[in-house]
Structure formats: structure tokens, C-alpha cells
Amino acid sequence: MYDIPAAGDMRKTAGRLQPDLVRLRRDLHAHPERGLHLPRTQTAVLEALEGLDLEISRGEALTSVTAVLRGGRPGPAVLLRADMDALALTESTGLDYASRTPGVMHACGHDLHTAALVGAAHTLAEHRDMLAGDVVFMFQPGEEGWDGAGHMVAEGVLDAAGQRVRAAYGLHVRSYETPRGVFRSKPGTIMGATDSLRVTVKGKGGHASRPHAANDPMPVAAQMITGIQTLITRRFDPFDPVVVTVTSVEGGAFSNIIAERVELSGTVRTFSEQNRGRIRTEIARLCVGLAASFGMTAEVSFDDGYPVTVNDATEYEFAAGVVRDVLGADRFDPLEAPVAAAEDFSRVLNEVPGCFLFLGAAAADDPATAPSNHSPQAVFDDSVLADASFVLAELARRALTRLAAPVNPGAEATSVMA
């Protein structure tokens, strides 16, 4: 049975930590770092964890922090994750703790994620006697395009406790759309895969007054752009969508010269591994064939991004139940559709079952009109930190209890609401 009074005690602990978490978050916000190497951020996290009885290790290929908390009783291990890196943006919020690093900003809320995980570590350390197993805290650099999670998985974060973690949980704040303090998630695919596309169309250059003597790749490239959109609507199931956005067209430099080559680039977003592979084949066939029909050639290449982020159905139901149980039914709102952005927590969920959740942290009264994540005007309300820490901690505590429980096929499963 889950100990409801224990949850109340942990919530009080997390609430008491709120002022410290706000200070940490605002310090991180004022001094953002990006990429795989975040030395100041790593130091701030290590200082924030000082005094806790944790087994701490640092990354080799990146400035990650992995901390293991041994529970009061032996049992399985679970993982909680926070990403720590910022974006290449110039902040324009006007906050008194705005970024002091030119061209770098915490516009995606990773500063809140880091502070919330520090809070969860303190909360669980104070109540370690309630834990039937171990908790791995994964403080990760390089989520924004650097595959920090992949590096940490390769360096053994999933086995940091001496055994493979049995479940993993993470959350992501949103400065828009989701009401403040509300958690959202869904079973199955919650975020898409994002890959990069490049097409090079090669024709024959010439003078703009004599296009018949050249072989102009520009109109062919234009047909490729529209053809890809037609391809999507006619070859792919709308209930397993594909989103292709051509964001760059480069070719030519002068108004009176026909370019010899044109390059297209953009992103491909998919929500299943099947379509992730299939769209590559279809785009290559279309572009190569279209170019050939005009006597030209086309080279098509893709760069792998993050894979699809998939929540385990059982872990989703568990996480949703925990939020409803400890915060109230109105604090959890199921997502109806996946989010098209990508997330490298997918690397973890490809290895172990788990659940990724969103948390509303809009500072504006109307999240529907608030600047979104990745905007230089994005503002996050750090009043959500205590609840974020508490939910992460309670997910870990209850997951350990659930996973450590002996299997009895003749008995009904214990509800997370118990």
C-alpha cells in the first residue's frame, strides 16, 4: 500500500525548499550556458547537492552530473532527469534576473528543470527511509541539439546504481498554452522525431536572357517543395502524421544569371519509427525522379535527429494517477495529440519504460497568448518549482514501492491511488 501521510510529509519538505529553488533557478537563468559543456552550471548543481548523502559522478564527454540516492530498504532503481542547457537567443524579457551572457538564454525552461530536480533530490534524501530502492538523478547538458541524453546513456547513467533502472521520469515546463501548475501527458507517442533534410538540385547555369540554353534548377526546386507537401497528403495516413518544413532555399547570386545548383534544407518530423524511415524513401524518390524528368540530378541526404519520444502506457497511467492523487484531479489534463517538437529523453525511454510530462509555467494570466518556449520573450513562473520537485519525488517513491512489491498473480494490483 502507498503511504498517503508520507506524501504529505514530502510535500511539506518540497514546499519549504521553494525559496532556495527560486534562488537557484534565477542564478542559472542569469548565467546560461549551452551545448555539452556547462562548467558553471555543473558547479552550481554540485554546490546545491552538497551535504546530501549521494554517490555523485561527473561525465567524461560532457559536464553532466549523476547522483545516486540509496534508499532505506534494498530494492530496484528508478531515474529522474533534468536537462540543464540554454539556447542561442538574446533575451528580451526585461527581467531583473535576465541573461547576462550575450546571445544565450534559458528560453526553454531548463533552468526550472534543474532546480526542480535539485529539490526532488533534497526531498527524497530527507525521506530516504521511505524508499524501497535507489534513485538516480540525471542532470544532463546538451538537450538542445547536442544529444546529451545519448552521451549519458553511453556513459552508463542507466546503470549508475549498480543495476539497470526499471523506470524513468522527466518533465518539461511550458511558458504558453498549458495553465500554470497543470501537468499534461499522454500514453504512447508524446513527442515526434526530428531529422534534417537537404536536397541539392544540379542543372546547367546560363544567362537569364537565354533560359532555353541553360537548364534552370530553380523552378524544379520549387516543384519539389510543393511536391513534398502533396506527397504527404496523398501517401501518408493523416492519423500518423508527417510534417516536412523547407526552411532554406539557396541558389544563385545575381538577377541575370541562372544558377547551376539550388539547395533546399529543412526538417522532417514524424510520430512513428515506420514513417520516419518511409518518408526518407519517398522524398528521395520524388526529388530524384522530378530532377531526372527535367534532365537534371538531385542528391538527397538526411541527418538523424532525436527519435520519437514514447511513453509506456502503464507508466503513463501510473504518473497521471500520482499527479491526480497528490495534487487533485484538476491538476492533470491529458494531452489529446503529440507535440511535434523532439526531445532527447527519447534516448532514455527507448531503453527503459517511463513517462514524460509537461507542466504549465506560464507567467502570463492567459497562457494562450503568452510567448512560447524558444521565444526571446518567454517568461516562466517559478512558483511551480515546489510542486514540480514534489511530483518528481513522489513518482520515484511510489514507483520504487510498486516495482519492489512481490508479484502475486492471484491478487489484484494495488492502485496508485491507495
Short mmCIF file of all heavy atoms in Angstrom, two decimals, residues 240-294:
data_model
loop_
_atom_site.label_atom_id
_atom_site.label_comp_id
_atom_site.label_asym_id
_atom_site.label_seq_id
_atom_site.Cartn_x
_atom_site.Cartn_y
_atom_site.Cartn_z
N ASP A 240 -1.31 9.30 -38.58
CA ASP A 240 0.09 9.07 -38.23
C ASP A 240 0.88 10.11 -39.02
O ASP A 240 1.55 9.80 -40.01
CB ASP A 240 0.52 7.65 -38.59
CG ASP A 240 1.93 7.32 -38.11
OD1 ASP A 240 2.53 8.17 -37.41
OD2 ASP A 240 2.43 6.23 -38.43
N PRO A 241 0.81 11.36 -38.61
CA PRO A 241 1.21 12.47 -39.48
C PRO A 241 2.70 12.58 -39.73
O PRO A 241 3.53 12.07 -38.98
CB PRO A 241 0.68 13.70 -38.73
CG PRO A 241 0.60 13.27 -37.31
CD PRO A 241 0.25 11.81 -37.33
N VAL A 242 3.01 13.28 -40.82
CA VAL A 242 4.37 13.65 -41.18
C VAL A 242 4.36 15.15 -41.46
O VAL A 242 3.46 15.65 -42.13
CB VAL A 242 4.83 12.88 -42.44
CG1 VAL A 242 6.19 13.40 -42.90
CG2 VAL A 242 4.89 11.39 -42.18
N VAL A 243 5.34 15.85 -40.91
CA VAL A 243 5.45 17.30 -41.12
C VAL A 243 6.82 17.58 -41.72
O VAL A 243 7.84 17.31 -41.09
CB VAL A 243 5.28 18.09 -39.80
CG1 VAL A 243 5.41 19.59 -40.06
CG2 VAL A 243 3.94 17.77 -39.15
N VAL A 244 6.84 18.10 -42.94
CA VAL A 244 8.08 18.49 -43.59
C VAL A 244 8.04 20.00 -43.82
O VAL A 244 7.11 20.51 -44.45
CB VAL A 244 8.30 17.76 -44.92
CG1 VAL A 244 9.62 18.21 -45.57
CG2 VAL A 244 8.31 16.25 -44.72
N THR A 245 9.04 20.70 -43.33
CA THR A 245 9.11 22.15 -43.48
C THR A 245 10.43 22.51 -44.14
O THR A 245 11.50 22.29 -43.57
CB THR A 245 9.01 22.86 -42.12
OG1 THR A 245 7.82 22.42 -41.45
CG2 THR A 245 8.94 24.37 -42.30
N VAL A 246 10.35 23.04 -45.37
CA VAL A 246 11.55 23.53 -46.05
C VAL A 246 11.79 24.95 -45.56
O VAL A 246 10.96 25.84 -45.75
CB VAL A 246 11.38 23.50 -47.58
CG1 VAL A 246 12.59 24.12 -48.27
CG2 VAL A 246 11.17 22.06 -48.05
N THR A 247 12.91 25.16 -44.92
CA THR A 247 13.18 26.45 -44.27
C THR A 247 14.24 27.28 -44.98
O THR A 247 14.45 28.44 -44.63
CB THR A 247 13.63 26.20 -42.82
OG1 THR A 247 14.76 25.32 -42.83
CG2 THR A 247 12.52 25.59 -42.00
N SER A 248 14.93 26.68 -45.95
CA SER A 248 16.00 27.41 -46.62
C SER A 248 16.07 27.00 -48.08
O SER A 248 16.03 25.80 -48.40
CB SER A 248 17.35 27.14 -45.93
OG SER A 248 18.42 27.71 -46.66
N VAL A 249 16.16 27.99 -48.97
CA VAL A 249 16.38 27.77 -50.40
C VAL A 249 17.58 28.63 -50.80
O VAL A 249 17.53 29.86 -50.68
CB VAL A 249 15.16 28.14 -51.25
CG1 VAL A 249 15.44 27.88 -52.73
CG2 VAL A 249 13.92 27.37 -50.80
N GLU A 250 18.65 28.01 -51.27
CA GLU A 250 19.86 28.75 -51.64
C GLU A 250 20.25 28.41 -53.08
O GLU A 250 20.40 27.25 -53.44
CB GLU A 250 21.01 28.40 -50.71
CG GLU A 250 20.76 28.77 -49.25
CD GLU A 250 21.94 28.42 -48.35
OE1 GLU A 250 22.99 28.01 -48.90
OE2 GLU A 250 21.81 28.56 -47.14
N GLY A 251 20.38 29.44 -53.89
CA GLY A 251 20.78 29.22 -55.27
C GLY A 251 20.92 30.54 -56.00
O GLY A 251 20.03 31.37 -55.96
N GLY A 252 22.02 30.73 -56.66
CA GLY A 252 22.22 31.96 -57.41
C GLY A 252 22.62 33.13 -56.54
O GLY A 252 22.41 33.13 -55.33
N ALA A 253 23.19 34.16 -57.23
CA ALA A 253 23.62 35.35 -56.51
C ALA A 253 23.32 36.63 -57.27
O ALA A 253 23.37 37.71 -56.69
CB ALA A 253 25.12 35.27 -56.22
N PHE A 254 22.96 36.50 -58.56
CA PHE A 254 22.73 37.69 -59.39
C PHE A 254 21.42 37.55 -60.15
O PHE A 254 21.02 36.44 -60.53
CB PHE A 254 23.90 37.91 -60.36
CG PHE A 254 25.23 38.03 -59.67
CD1 PHE A 254 26.08 36.94 -59.56
CD2 PHE A 254 25.61 39.23 -59.09
CE1 PHE A 254 27.30 37.05 -58.92
CE2 PHE A 254 26.84 39.36 -58.44
CZ PHE A 254 27.68 38.26 -58.36
N SER A 255 20.79 38.68 -60.42
CA SER A 255 19.47 38.65 -61.06
C SER A 255 19.53 38.23 -62.52
O SER A 255 18.50 37.83 -63.08
CB SER A 255 18.82 40.04 -60.95
OG SER A 255 19.61 41.02 -61.62
N ASN A 256 20.68 38.29 -63.14
CA ASN A 256 20.75 37.97 -64.57
C ASN A 256 21.51 36.68 -64.87
O ASN A 256 21.91 36.43 -66.00
CB ASN A 256 21.38 39.13 -65.34
CG ASN A 256 22.82 39.40 -64.92
OD1 ASN A 256 23.25 38.94 -63.87
ND2 ASN A 256 23.55 40.14 -65.75
N ILE A 257 21.75 35.88 -63.83
CA ILE A 257 22.48 34.62 -64.01
C ILE A 257 21.64 33.46 -63.48
O ILE A 257 21.20 33.48 -62.33
CB ILE A 257 23.85 34.64 -63.31
CG1 ILE A 257 24.73 35.75 -63.90
CG2 ILE A 257 24.54 33.29 -63.42
CD1 ILE A 257 26.07 35.88 -63.22
N ILE A 258 21.44 32.46 -64.32
CA ILE A 258 20.76 31.23 -63.89
C ILE A 258 21.75 30.38 -63.13
O ILE A 258 22.85 30.08 -63.62
CB ILE A 258 20.21 30.46 -65.11
CG1 ILE A 258 19.09 31.26 -65.78
CG2 ILE A 258 19.71 29.08 -64.70
CD1 ILE A 258 18.61 30.66 -67.08
N ALA A 259 21.37 29.99 -61.94
CA ALA A 259 22.27 29.20 -61.08
C ALA A 259 22.45 27.79 -61.64
O ALA A 259 21.55 27.24 -62.29
CB ALA A 259 21.72 29.13 -59.67
N GLU A 260 23.59 27.22 -61.37
CA GLU A 260 23.83 25.84 -61.78
C GLU A 260 23.26 24.84 -60.77
O GLU A 260 22.94 23.71 -61.12
CB GLU A 260 25.33 25.60 -61.94
CG GLU A 260 25.66 24.24 -62.53
CD GLU A 260 27.08 24.14 -63.04
OE1 GLU A 260 27.51 25.06 -63.76
OE2 GLU A 260 27.75 23.15 -62.70
N ARG A 261 23.10 25.28 -59.52
CA ARG A 261 22.59 24.38 -58.50
C ARG A 261 21.75 25.15 -57.49
O ARG A 261 21.95 26.35 -57.27
CB ARG A 261 23.73 23.65 -57.78
CG ARG A 261 24.75 24.58 -57.17
CD ARG A 261 25.99 23.84 -56.73
NE ARG A 261 25.76 23.05 -55.54
CZ ARG A 261 26.50 22.01 -55.17
NH1 ARG A 261 27.50 21.61 -55.95
NH2 ARG A 261 26.26 21.37 -54.05
N VAL A 262 20.82 24.47 -56.88
CA VAL A 262 19.96 25.02 -55.83
C VAL A 262 19.93 24.02 -54.70
O VAL A 262 19.81 22.80 -54.93
CB VAL A 262 18.53 25.29 -56.33
CG1 VAL A 262 17.63 25.73 -55.18
CG2 VAL A 262 18.53 26.36 -57.43
N GLU A 263 20.05 24.52 -53.47
CA GLU A 263 19.98 23.65 -52.29
C GLU A 263 18.76 23.98 -51.46
O GLU A 263 18.49 25.15 -51.17
CB GLU A 263 21.24 23.79 -51.44
CG GLU A 263 22.47 23.18 -52.08
CD GLU A 263 23.63 23.04 -51.10
OE1 GLU A 263 23.49 23.52 -49.95
OE2 GLU A 263 24.66 22.46 -51.49
N LEU A 264 18.03 22.95 -51.09
CA LEU A 264 16.90 23.06 -50.18
C LEU A 264 17.28 22.40 -48.86
O LEU A 264 17.94 21.36 -48.85
CB LEU A 264 15.66 22.35 -50.73
CG LEU A 264 15.23 22.63 -52.17
CD1 LEU A 264 14.05 21.74 -52.53
CD2 LEU A 264 14.86 24.09 -52.32
N SER A 265 16.86 22.97 -47.75
CA SER A 265 17.07 22.31 -46.46
C SER A 265 15.87 22.58 -45.56
O SER A 265 15.12 23.55 -45.76
CB SER A 265 18.35 22.78 -45.79
OG SER A 265 18.32 24.18 -45.57
N GLY A 266 15.68 21.71 -44.60
CA GLY A 266 14.56 21.86 -43.68
C GLY A 266 14.52 20.72 -42.69
O GLY A 266 15.53 20.02 -42.48
N THR A 267 13.37 20.52 -42.08
CA THR A 267 13.21 19.47 -41.08
C THR A 267 12.08 18.53 -41.45
O THR A 267 11.12 18.91 -42.12
CB THR A 267 12.92 20.05 -39.68
OG1 THR A 267 11.72 20.83 -39.73
CG2 THR A 267 14.06 20.90 -39.18
N VAL A 268 12.22 17.29 -40.99
CA VAL A 268 11.21 16.26 -41.17
C VAL A 268 10.80 15.78 -39.79
O VAL A 268 11.65 15.33 -39.02
CB VAL A 268 11.76 15.08 -42.00
CG1 VAL A 268 10.70 14.00 -42.18
CG2 VAL A 268 12.27 15.56 -43.35
N ARG A 269 9.52 15.90 -39.51
CA ARG A 269 9.01 15.49 -38.19
C ARG A 269 8.01 14.36 -38.37
O ARG A 269 7.07 14.47 -39.16
CB ARG A 269 8.36 16.67 -37.47
CG ARG A 269 9.34 17.82 -37.24
CD ARG A 269 8.70 19.07 -36.66
NE ARG A 269 9.65 20.17 -36.64
CZ ARG A 269 10.50 20.43 -35.66
NH1 ARG A 269 10.49 19.67 -34.57
NH2 ARG A 269 11.34 21.44 -35.73
N THR A 270 8.23 13.28 -37.62
CA THR A 270 7.37 12.11 -37.71
C THR A 270 7.01 11.62 -36.31
O THR A 270 7.67 11.98 -35.32
CB THR A 270 8.07 10.98 -38.48
OG1 THR A 270 9.39 10.79 -37.94
CG2 THR A 270 8.19 11.32 -39.96
N PHE A 271 5.98 10.78 -36.24
CA PHE A 271 5.48 10.34 -34.94
C PHE A 271 5.48 8.82 -34.80
O PHE A 271 4.91 8.29 -33.84
CB PHE A 271 4.07 10.90 -34.72
CG PHE A 271 4.06 12.41 -34.67
CD1 PHE A 271 3.87 13.15 -35.83
CD2 PHE A 271 4.29 13.09 -33.49
CE1 PHE A 271 3.89 14.53 -35.80
CE2 PHE A 271 4.31 14.47 -33.45
CZ PHE A 271 4.12 15.20 -34.62
N SER A 272 6.11 8.15 -35.75
CA SER A 272 6.33 6.71 -35.63
C SER A 272 7.62 6.37 -36.34
O SER A 272 8.01 7.04 -37.31
CB SER A 272 5.16 5.93 -36.26
OG SER A 272 5.16 6.08 -37.68
N GLU A 273 8.30 5.35 -35.87
CA GLU A 273 9.55 4.94 -36.50
C GLU A 273 9.30 4.42 -37.91
O GLU A 273 10.15 4.56 -38.80
CB GLU A 273 10.25 3.87 -35.65
CG GLU A 273 10.89 4.44 -34.39
CD GLU A 273 11.93 5.52 -34.68
OE1 GLU A 273 12.73 5.35 -35.62
OE2 GLU A 273 11.93 6.53 -33.96
N GLN A 274 8.13 3.84 -38.16
CA GLN A 274 7.80 3.36 -39.51
C GLN A 274 7.80 4.52 -40.51
O GLN A 274 8.43 4.45 -41.57
CB GLN A 274 6.45 2.66 -39.51
CG GLN A 274 6.01 2.20 -40.90
CD GLN A 274 4.62 1.58 -40.89
OE1 GLN A 274 3.97 1.49 -39.85
NE2 GLN A 274 4.16 1.15 -42.05
N ASN A 275 7.08 5.59 -40.17
CA ASN A 275 7.03 6.74 -41.08
C ASN A 275 8.35 7.50 -41.12
O ASN A 275 8.67 8.13 -42.13
CB ASN A 275 5.90 7.68 -40.68
CG ASN A 275 4.56 7.26 -41.25
OD1 ASN A 275 4.49 6.31 -42.02
ND2 ASN A 275 3.51 7.96 -40.89
N ARG A 276 9.11 7.42 -40.05
CA ARG A 276 10.41 8.09 -40.05
C ARG A 276 11.31 7.53 -41.13
O ARG A 276 12.03 8.28 -41.81
CB ARG A 276 11.07 7.92 -38.67
CG ARG A 276 12.31 8.78 -38.48
CD ARG A 276 12.98 8.49 -37.16
NE ARG A 276 14.09 9.40 -36.91
CZ ARG A 276 15.04 9.18 -36.02
NH1 ARG A 276 15.02 8.07 -35.27
NH2 ARG A 276 16.01 10.06 -35.86
N GLY A 277 11.27 6.22 -41.33
CA GLY A 277 12.05 5.62 -42.39
C GLY A 277 11.40 5.77 -43.75
O GLY A 277 12.08 6.05 -44.76
N ARG A 278 10.10 5.64 -43.80
CA ARG A 278 9.40 5.66 -45.08
C ARG A 278 9.46 7.02 -45.77
O ARG A 278 9.61 7.12 -46.99
CB ARG A 278 7.94 5.24 -44.87
CG ARG A 278 7.16 5.13 -46.16
CD ARG A 278 5.72 4.74 -45.91
NE ARG A 278 4.95 5.02 -47.12
CZ ARG A 278 3.67 5.37 -47.11
NH1 ARG A 278 3.04 5.50 -45.96
NH2 ARG A 278 3.05 5.61 -48.25
N ILE A 279 9.34 8.12 -44.99
CA ILE A 279 9.33 9.44 -45.61
C ILE A 279 10.66 9.72 -46.31
O ILE A 279 10.72 10.41 -47.33
CB ILE A 279 9.00 10.54 -44.56
CG1 ILE A 279 8.81 11.91 -45.24
CG2 ILE A 279 10.08 10.63 -43.50
CD1 ILE A 279 7.68 11.97 -46.24
N ARG A 280 11.74 9.17 -45.81
CA ARG A 280 13.05 9.37 -46.45
C ARG A 280 13.06 8.74 -47.84
O ARG A 280 13.53 9.34 -48.82
CB ARG A 280 14.16 8.76 -45.59
CG ARG A 280 14.30 9.40 -44.22
CD ARG A 280 15.45 8.81 -43.45
NE ARG A 280 15.58 9.42 -42.13
CZ ARG A 280 16.72 9.51 -41.46
NH1 ARG A 280 17.83 9.04 -41.99
NH2 ARG A 280 16.77 10.06 -40.27
N THR A 281 12.54 7.52 -47.92
CA THR A 281 12.49 6.84 -49.21
C THR A 281 11.60 7.60 -50.19
O THR A 281 11.96 7.78 -51.36
CB THR A 281 11.95 5.41 -49.02
OG1 THR A 281 12.80 4.70 -48.12
CG2 THR A 281 11.88 4.67 -50.35
N GLU A 282 10.46 8.07 -49.71
CA GLU A 282 9.51 8.75 -50.58
C GLU A 282 10.05 10.10 -51.07
O GLU A 282 9.89 10.46 -52.24
CB GLU A 282 8.18 8.95 -49.85
CG GLU A 282 7.47 7.66 -49.46
CD GLU A 282 6.75 7.01 -50.63
OE1 GLU A 282 6.84 7.52 -51.76
OE2 GLU A 282 6.10 5.97 -50.42
N ILE A 283 10.67 10.87 -50.19
CA ILE A 283 11.23 12.17 -50.61
C ILE A 283 12.36 11.97 -51.61
O ILE A 283 12.45 12.68 -52.62
CB ILE A 283 11.72 12.97 -49.38
CG1 ILE A 283 10.51 13.48 -48.57
CG2 ILE A 283 12.58 14.14 -49.82
CD1 ILE A 283 10.90 14.21 -47.30
N ALA A 284 13.22 11.00 -51.35
CA ALA A 284 14.33 10.74 -52.28
C ALA A 284 13.81 10.34 -53.65
O ALA A 284 14.30 10.83 -54.69
CB ALA A 284 15.24 9.66 -51.71
N ARG A 285 12.81 9.47 -53.68
CA ARG A 285 12.25 9.03 -54.96
C ARG A 285 11.64 10.21 -55.72
O ARG A 285 11.85 10.37 -56.92
CB ARG A 285 11.19 7.95 -54.72
CG ARG A 285 10.57 7.43 -56.02
CD ARG A 285 9.44 6.46 -55.76
NE ARG A 285 9.92 5.25 -55.09
CZ ARG A 285 9.45 4.78 -53.94
NH1 ARG A 285 8.51 5.43 -53.29
NH2 ARG A 285 9.94 3.68 -53.43
N LEU A 286 10.89 11.04 -55.01
CA LEU A 286 10.24 12.18 -55.63
C LEU A 286 11.28 13.15 -56.22
O LEU A 286 11.18 13.56 -57.39
CB LEU A 286 9.37 12.91 -54.61
CG LEU A 286 8.81 14.27 -55.04
CD1 LEU A 286 7.71 14.08 -56.08
CD2 LEU A 286 8.28 15.06 -53.85
N CYS A 287 12.26 13.54 -55.42
CA CYS A 287 13.21 14.57 -55.84
C CYS A 287 14.12 14.08 -56.96
O CYS A 287 14.39 14.80 -57.93
CB CYS A 287 14.02 15.06 -54.65
SG CYS A 287 13.02 15.95 -53.42
N VAL A 288 14.62 12.86 -56.83
CA VAL A 288 15.49 12.30 -57.87
C VAL A 288 14.71 12.15 -59.17
O VAL A 288 15.19 12.49 -60.26
CB VAL A 288 16.09 10.97 -57.41
CG1 VAL A 288 16.81 10.27 -58.58
CG2 VAL A 288 17.05 11.19 -56.25
N GLY A 289 13.47 11.64 -59.07
CA GLY A 289 12.66 11.44 -60.27
C GLY A 289 12.26 12.75 -60.93
O GLY A 289 12.28 12.87 -62.16
N LEU A 290 11.90 13.74 -60.10
CA LEU A 290 11.50 15.03 -60.65
C LEU A 290 12.68 15.70 -61.36
O LEU A 290 12.52 16.26 -62.46
CB LEU A 290 10.97 15.92 -59.53
CG LEU A 290 10.27 17.22 -59.92
CD1 LEU A 290 9.09 16.94 -60.84
CD2 LEU A 290 9.79 17.95 -58.67
N ALA A 291 13.84 15.65 -60.73
CA ALA A 291 15.02 16.23 -61.37
C ALA A 291 15.34 15.52 -62.69
O ALA A 291 15.63 16.17 -63.71
CB ALA A 291 16.22 16.15 -60.43
N ALA A 292 15.25 14.21 -62.70
CA ALA A 292 15.56 13.44 -63.91
C ALA A 292 14.61 13.77 -65.05
O ALA A 292 15.00 13.79 -66.22
CB ALA A 292 15.52 11.94 -63.60
N SER A 293 13.34 14.04 -64.71
CA SER A 293 12.36 14.35 -65.75
C SER A 293 12.68 15.65 -66.47
O SER A 293 12.16 15.90 -67.56
CB SER A 293 10.96 14.40 -65.15
OG SER A 293 10.80 15.54 -64.32
N PHE A 294 13.53 16.50 -65.87
CA PHE A 294 13.95 17.74 -66.50
C PHE A 294 15.42 17.68 -66.94
O PHE A 294 16.03 18.71 -67.23
CB PHE A 294 13.76 18.92 -65.53
CG PHE A 294 12.32 19.33 -65.36
CD1 PHE A 294 11.53 18.77 -64.37
CD2 PHE A 294 11.76 20.27 -66.22
CE1 PHE A 294 10.21 19.15 -64.21
CE2 PHE A 294 10.43 20.66 -66.07
CZ PHE A 294 9.65 20.10 -65.07
#
